[in-house]
Amino acid sequence: MTKKSTDVDMPTLPWRKTRNSAPPKQPLGQDLIVETAIRILDAEGLEGVSMRRVAQELGTGPASLYAHVSNKDELLELMLERIAGEIELPEELDPARWQEQLKEIARNSQRVWTSHADIAKVSLTNIPTGPNLLRIAEAMLTLMRGAGVPDQVAAWALDWLSMYIDADAIEASMYTAKLKRGFDLESYFAGIKDYFRRLPPERFPNISSIVDSLTAGDGDERFEFGLDVFIRGLASYVEK
């Protein structure tokens, strides 16, 4: 059978561009919106996250996001909950090792928060309600109550330990942001040490005499010290 002229493959005219069909878009949903927002967070920090920015990244308009996420506050909470799922807990909680395991949870939490820019700012201003966040709180309470920490002390300790982890992670994220902008951290701390040494000793006798101690230790060492102080204090409440 002879091909019709309309069936014959024709070459593209040199002044016309070849049109490649665009790949099909992934269906818009809450999971995709949250994943996209976290990518923006990791690249640009919390200030870069907005409904408009996420919509732009997804090639759509902000209005289409509101069918899946009520507003930016809900988006931030969903991002925090998703990231909290990365925090590892001990395979088996053992109140006999409550101090060691509580520190382990705190370290893992701080590591995950600092790996996602300044998401800790969201944690600091939100009460845990999602299953990923609640499992962490439940694990901490299991360890403290199982070790004999009184209920009220355990409840307040949960709040304060969370704030300590958040604050440390926020500080770390701020220094990371400075380093990305070319901030010379080594020169900065060298300048601080020199400044402290030149303080008038008659006015600041303690600061000027222990400069090396005041500026010693990296972020991890200081975080561990804070954890140790906190846990030792908490242990003093354990009912014998």
Side-chain angles (χ1 to χ4, degrees), residues 160-169 222-227:
W160 277 97
L161 182 55
S162 298
M163 285 195 290
Y164 173 65
I165 295 166
D166 290 340
D168 187 87
R222 286 168 175 259
F223 181 71
E224 285 295 324
F225 171 76
L227 268 185

Side-chain angles (χ1 to χ4, degrees), residues 116-134:
H116 288 284
D118 44 1
I119 191 64
K121 291 180 180 179
V122 182
S123 176
L124 189 62
T125 55
N126 278 276
I127 295 173
T129 55
N132 285 331
L133 287 164
L134 287 176

